[in-house]
Amino acid sequence: MPPPRFPSLVLRSSLFILASSFLPSAQAVHQKNAGPEEVELKFNLPPPAPLSPEEAKKTFKVEKGFHIELVASEPMIESPVAMSFDAQGRLYVVEMRGYMHDLEGGGEKEPTGRVSLLEDTDGDGRMDKATPFLDNLVMPRAVLAVNGGALIAVPPNLYFCKDTDGDGKADVKDVVATDFGTLGGQPEHMADTPVWAMDNAIWSAGYSTRFKLRSGVWQKDTGLGRGQWGLCQDDFGRLYFNYNSDMLRADLLPTEAFTRNPLLRNATSINAKLAADQTLYPSHPTPGVNRGYDPKSLRADGTLSKPTGTCGALIYRGDAFPAAYRGNAFVPEPCANLVKRFTMREKDGIVKATNTAKTTEFLTSTDERFRPVQAANGPDGALYLVDMYRGIIQHQSFLTHYLIANIEARKLETPFNQGRIWRIVPDSKERPQPVKVSKDVNLLTHANGWVRDTAQRLLVESGDAATVPALKEMLSNESALARLHALWTLDGLAAVTPDLLRPALADKDAQVRAAAVRIASRDLAPDLIALSAEKDALVLANLAIKLTSFNLPDADAAVAKLLASDGKNTLIREGALTGMRGREAAFAKLLVGQLTKENGAQIMPVVEALGSLLAQANKAGPFEEMLDLAAAQPQGGAVQVAAIKGLASSSSDPKSKMPAKLLWLNAEPASLKTLKAAMTDKSSAKLFANVAARLAWPGKPGAPPPPKIVPLNEAQTALFEKGKTIYATLCAACHQPHGFGLDGLAPPLVDSEWVLGKPEILTRIVLNGLAGPVKVSGRNFNLAMPPLPQLTDEDIAGVLTYIRREWEHTGSPVETKAVKTVREQSKGRMAMWSEEELKNLGKKTSSK
């Protein structure tokens, strides 16, 4: 479905009736998600009538001091799911008109979607002109005004579209990416919401590639797949997102840094949960949610108590609201027909969100078809809402029997062709006026964050060197936000020099200093190393990220000194760990060299974290190096305990039931005897036993026979090398060069039971694809791998041989003729494989 998992459907409060009627259950489509077949409609309400925009407006209750205004509605737009303002205040709106015409998902394969360009030609605040900018689309889902046109997502493609003749319709349609979702894929689990962030990169929710526009060319770079439906940034460029049941998360440190170390999956600096209290207060009963049969979902009065369909969160950065609202988070929950407001606070780089609601919300509606799916800042400083306006919001793939019964009983399948854009403004006498943005450096000082962002984008897009002097002058502006935008704009124009950055590294504002550290190149390594007087945690965390990326002895020594003072700080520690992949043991040795009686509490968390990374890496050599380091420390001391505790944690997922990989050494390490004698108390002895159990060597009592590694012959080696090239060009974008994959996009290949299992299973996956859910290395992934039938038999044999022998794998090679055989067996198959099908291949099925 459009927005993130919209798992619910809400029932009208004015007719709240308690009943106990059992209905025969309709057939839920997704059997693993279907819930109980016998459903009880406790709140048996009559079918509600769809409301006109004027009628719907009367159902809203907005926080005191504000009111809601209509910007656009049907028939001008239908089923809107996303929007983006261009620099002139025109509005691109994505209309997913094929979404859920009935309970079977009818309409989704039809090219009925479009992106419309809306204009307010008379300046009254209401859109009065609509042009089909791009039409005849199958389930479009995202748009971003950029470079005089727009990026538009129509899975599996992301297009750049532009109107060059002034008629409002796109006559340029260039492919930017071909993996932005899957054609016919699950709409709740695909990339969406591209955002031009302060770092001049375009990030998207649920998508691991970021884009940069340089001299008119779209450049691709790695990022991290984050969130489900919706993405935004705050005044400092931090990315915020959400999941269906978690209203607000953020990356507290630069997202791209964590791509360097894929084992930092559980880092708390990224994908950080911000709101402890997410209690909801709908203004009417909402029993028609997908899990309404579960007593934990609804209160006794029938209202939803926790989020189930969150999407499109926004950090408000406008200038129309009172100052107390700047930086607040506004989060739509379409299943509860409301928008929640969180106040934000930050301390030492850690951001927390506080639920402002006590018994009500910032905005609620008693109209169950009010479906806010995106909140956005506008050129007038107001807060805008995309309202999909419909009865069915949950996609058919996840409908439960309970929700189907509610939909049928209350006749909520239709209408599906309505939709509104709303604006929330304060109760002032004058309506705020929109700002038209140009390549004016002075607009970087504007109070409206949307204006500043747009001005920065236009300046970077222009590549105009003539603006550089004014931008340099802006670096001395009294506004820290203006200085911050000027610095990033100069970076986007490739106009940053060491002489320009040095003053920024000493700026009085910590956010400016942190940005200067992020932007600094290797040429400034001596200046960064010399930042010994820095005290701000956020700046120090960025400094740790930058210095460890240099891989220079002096830089590493500076980081060791930094961690010896601040290793307990989560941001600083995790920032440093981003650059230590492959040299954990060496850095632990360097860090231990800094140990004193006074700084042990700072150093030990880092030693433990380094040991944990080594335990997850499953590499025998570095693991043994850490053991040797621990054995060389004072017996029973803190370093030994921290190192062994880290090495004893074999998985990044504490819930994983997968046994730890056995690490083979050439001989029993002497360090084991030393450590066994030192680890005498019950807790330490248990940790040591876990570590020792992971190690094996020839002749170890109870150890299995060592693995037999058959060398590749000349032909197989040639296949391996060919597969290496194919992997780098075709597979590494998702599964990554290191093979550990990307959360939210691609599962790991390293030590995967699928990779090291039967080669014919792998071959089938490459030929026909694999649709989730699927369990890999003890973790569940609900993703889709597209088929790659364009690869030749030799290509497939090569890439499979590569992944079965790379990363210390010892799997057998895959022969070309074996691939050919499987291709013949799969001839005519069009559907992707499922995990269950692949596991049952060759098994006889019994019939009763």
Side-chain angles (χ1 to χ4, degrees):
M1 87 204 156
R5 329 175 174 221
F6 287 165
S8 82
L9 182 243
V10 195
L11 304 182
R12 194 162 173 172
S13 64
S14 59
L15 297 172
F16 175 62
I17 303 171
L18 183 63
S20 293
S21 57
F22 285 91
L23 292 185
S25 135
Q27 180 65 38
V29 177
H30 194 291
Q31 291 306 305
K32 292 185 178 180
N33 190 66
E37 293 190 17
E38 294 295 332
V39 295
E40 179 185 6
L41 300 185
K42 294 183 179 180
F43 310 97
N44 192 14
L45 309 179
L51 303 180
S52 69
E54 291 72 23
E55 292 170 328
K57 189 175 178 179
K58 297 175 183 178
T59 70
F60 290 117
K61 181 180 180 182
V62 193
E63 191 169 311
K64 186 177 180 180
F66 298 89
H67 64 275
I68 193 165
E69 300 175 347
L70 183 67
V71 177
S73 66
E74 72 281 349
M76 179 178 283
I77 54 171
E78 299 175 9
S79 298
V81 297
M83 56 172 270
S84 180
F85 283 102
D86 74 0
Q88 300 305 300
R90 300 183 303 174
L91 187 59
Y92 291 97
V93 177
V94 179
E95 299 175 67
M96 194 184 280
R97 299 163 78 199
Y99 181 71
M100 292 296 290
H101 289 190
D102 51 43
L103 292 170
E104 286 72 44
E108 292 189 4
K109 296 180 181 179
E110 302 302 319
T112 57
R114 68 187 176 196
V115 174
S116 293
L117 183 58
L118 308 187
E119 300 177 65
D120 173 13
T121 62
D122 56 11
D124 67 351
R126 197 74 180 260
M127 297 297 174
D128 49 58
K129 180 182 178 182
T131 306
F133 181 74
L134 194 64
D135 213 342
N136 302 315
L137 308 177
V138 177
M139 297 287 282
R141 57 188 291 109
V143 65
L144 171 66
V146 66
N147 201 32
L151 285 174
I152 296 175
V154 187
N157 297 316
L158 180 67
Y159 298 106
F160 172 67
C161 304
K162 192 171 184 176
D163 165 27
T164 63
D165 57 13
D167 65 355
K169 298 181 180 181
D171 46 69
V172 170
K173 185 180 178 183
D174 296 331
V175 176
V176 176
T178 58
D179 61 347
F180 207 84
T182 305
L183 178 64
Q186 219 306 314
E188 297 180 14
H189 298 282
M190 289 195 287
D192 60 83
T193 322
V195 171
W196 182 298
M198 182 171 279
D199 63 356
N200 301 305
I202 294 175
W203 297 84
S204 304
Y207 187 65
S208 66
T209 300
R210 57 178 177 155
F211 302 98
K212 288 189 176 182
L213 182 61
R214 293 293 180 267
S215 302
V217 177
W218 295 101
Q219 300 176 352
K220 297 181 181 181
D221 197 1
T222 56
L224 285 177
R226 281 288 177 265
Q228 198 168 338
W229 182 272
L231 186 71
C232 65
Q233 66 172 347
D234 63 12
D235 278 342
F236 314 115
R238 280 179 295 225
L239 298 177
Y240 291 75
F241 39 91
N242 44 260
Y243 298 90
N244 64 332
S245 57
D246 195 330
M247 302 196 86
L248 198 61
R249 295 203 173 207
D251 289 343
L252 304 179
L253 292 178
T255 308
E256 69 275 10
F258 288 80
T259 65
R260 297 187 297 163
N261 197 335
L263 297 178
L264 282 172
R265 292 194 185 98
N266 288 335
T268 57
S269 303
I270 54 173
N271 202 20
K273 185 180 179 71
L274 304 185
D277 179 11
Q278 300 188 24
T279 308
L280 300 179
Y281 300 98
S283 58
H284 68 138
T286 58
V289 295
N290 210 27
R291 303 291 180 198
Y293 59 82
D294 187 342
K296 296 178 181 178
S297 293
L298 301 173
R299 298 184 179 92
D301 64 359
T303 57
L304 186 66
S305 61
K306 298 294 182 183
T308 182
T310 307
C311 52
L314 173 74
I315 301 299
Y316 176 72
R317 302 170 59 219
D319 58 347
F321 285 18
Y325 290 81
R326 287 187 63 90
N328 286 191
F330 292 85
V331 190
E333 218 300 0
C335 304
N337 317 119
L338 60 79
V339 176
K340 175 173 285 295
R341 178 169 75 93
F342 292 101
T343 56
M344 312 296 284
R345 58 185 174 86
E346 178 181 348
K347 183 179 181 181
D348 295 331
I350 303 295
V351 178
K352 294 295 182 183
T354 301
N355 190 352
T356 61
K358 300 303 178 184
T359 59
T360 186
E361 301 287 358
F362 177 76
L363 171 68
T364 63
S365 172
T366 56
D367 181 2
E368 68 186 80
R369 286 183 170 85
F370 170 59
R371 304 298 192 183
V373 297
Q374 182 192 5
N377 289 299
D380 56 357
L383 188 154
Y384 285 74
L385 293 172
V386 178
D387 175 9
M388 200 175 180
Y389 202 82
R390 54 174 23 251
I392 301 178
I393 199 73
Q394 172 68 56
H395 189 256
Q396 56 95 7
S397 296
F398 294 100
L399 284 171
T400 60
H401 295 293
Y402 172 87
L403 184 50
I404 289 174
N406 271 278
I407 293 169
E408 292 180 334
R410 312 217 37 250
K411 299 179 173 29
L412 290 164
E413 292 182 71
T414 58
F416 49 75
N417 59 350
Q418 297 178 286
R420 292 93 194 249
I421 305 293
W422 301 96
R423 171 179 51 234
I424 299 174
V425 293
D427 294 335
S428 57
K429 293 182 179 180
E430 296 182 1
R431 182 174 57 82
Q433 294 300 308
V435 177
K436 292 187 177 182
V437 184
S438 62
K439 295 179 293 183
D440 182 353
V441 173
N442 290 321
L443 288 176
L444 298 179
T445 68
H446 202 281
N448 185 345
W450 179 89
V451 174
R452 295 195 308 273
D453 291 351
T454 305
Q456 176 181 324
R457 174 176 64 79
L458 294 178
L459 288 163
V460 172
E461 287 174 352
S462 73
D464 188 358
T467 63
V468 170
L471 287 166
K472 289 182 177 180
E473 185 177 344
M474 185 71 68
L475 290 176
S476 59
N477 190 280
E478 63 181 17
S479 165
L481 287 177
R483 299 197 301 276
L484 190 62
H485 277 283
L487 189 60
W488 279 112
T489 305
L490 286 163
D491 181 61
L493 292 170
V496 171
T497 63
D499 289 343
L500 184 149
L501 269 186
R502 287 189 180 99
L505 290 172
D507 192 277
K508 60 184 178 181
D509 185 83
Q511 291 288 351
V512 177
R513 297 199 304 276
V517 170
R518 286 182 64 183
I519 293 170
S521 66
R522 198 180 183 91
D523 295 341
L524 277 174
D527 299 84
L528 297 173
I529 290 170
L531 290 180
S532 57
E534 180 60 60
K535 300 299 181 183
D536 185 85
L538 181 64
V539 181
L540 290 174
N542 279 278
L543 186 61
I545 290 171
K546 180 64 69 171
L547 290 177
T548 54
S549 73
F550 292 154
N551 198 12
L552 295 171
D554 289 349
D556 284 350
V559 175
K561 184 177 179 181
L562 171 61
L563 291 174
S565 299
D566 294 286
K568 286 181 68 177
N569 184 287
T570 303
L571 292 187
I572 297 172
R573 181 174 67 253
E574 292 181 348
L577 292 175
T578 63
M580 293 183 186
R581 182 172 174 267
R583 51 199 188 105
E584 295 91 347
F587 198 90
K589 184 176 181 180
L590 181 64
L591 188 60
V592 169
Q594 300 277 337
L595 183 63
T596 66
K597 291 182 179 179
E598 290 74 27
N599 64 17
Q602 301 292 337
I603 287 178
M604 293 315 127
V606 188
V607 172
E608 182 180 335
L610 290 168
S612 179
L613 291 177
L614 285 172
Q616 296 171 50
N618 292 329
K619 308 298 182 187
F623 195 98
E624 187 175 8
E625 288 179 43
M626 194 69 160
L627 285 175
D628 291 341
L629 173 64
Q633 304 309 307
Q635 183 169 331
V639 173
Q640 283 190 340
V641 174
I644 296 303
K645 186 176 181 180
L647 292 175
S649 59
S650 59
S651 172
S652 63
D653 183 359
K655 297 181 180 179
S656 174
K657 297 180 181 180
M658 292 287 293
K661 181 182 178 182
L662 197 61
L663 304 179
W664 279 90
L665 306 175
N666 293 328
E668 180 180 6
S671 58
L672 278 187
K673 294 180 179 179
T674 302
L675 291 169
K676 184 176 182 180
M679 304 283 105
T680 53
D681 65 272
K682 186 176 180 180
S683 176
S684 297
K686 183 178 180 180
L687 292 173
F688 174 78
N690 290 338
V691 171
R694 290 205 63 186
L695 301 175
W697 54 86
K700 179 182 180 180
K708 294 181 180 179
I709 305 175
V710 180
L712 300 179
N713 60 34
E714 185 176 349
Q716 292 164 344
T717 300
L719 269 179
F720 176 93
E721 292 299 329
K722 181 172 187 174
K724 183 177 182 179
T725 300
I726 295 172
Y727 182 87
T729 57
L730 190 62
C731 312
C734 294
H735 293 288
Q736 297 296 288
H738 45 60
F740 283 101
L742 279 174
D743 285 356
L745 180 69
L749 302 180
V750 176
D751 299 322
S752 163
E753 66 271 33
W754 293 88
V755 172
L756 299 176
K758 297 178 180 179
E760 58 267 28
I761 298 294
L762 272 182
T763 304
R764 284 180 165 83
I765 292 174
V766 173
L767 285 171
N768 292 100
L770 174 64
V774 59
K775 182 172 285 189
V776 183
S777 300
R779 301 173 63 215
N780 291 315
F781 292 85
N782 196 0
L783 305 165
M785 174 178 165
L788 300 171
Q790 73 274 21
L791 295 180
T792 67
D793 295 342
E794 185 177 336
D795 291 340
I796 295 174
V799 76
L800 296 186
T801 295
Y802 172 74
I803 65 175
R804 286 169 62 81
R805 293 302 282 255
E806 181 67 348
W807 311 304
E808 296 188 9
H809 289 170
T810 59
S812 62
V814 178
E815 303 294 342
T816 301
K817 62 181 180 181
V819 176
K820 182 178 180 180
T821 299
V822 174
R823 191 189 291 270
E824 286 296 323
Q825 293 172 351
S826 304
K827 191 174 182 179
R829 181 182 178 91
M830 301 299 294
M832 291 184 179
W833 292 99
S834 68
E835 178 182 40
E836 185 176 3
E837 283 181 303
L838 290 173
K839 287 187 173 181
N840 289 325
L841 274 177
K843 294 182 179 179
K844 294 182 178 180
T845 58
S846 59
S847 58
K848 294 182 180 180

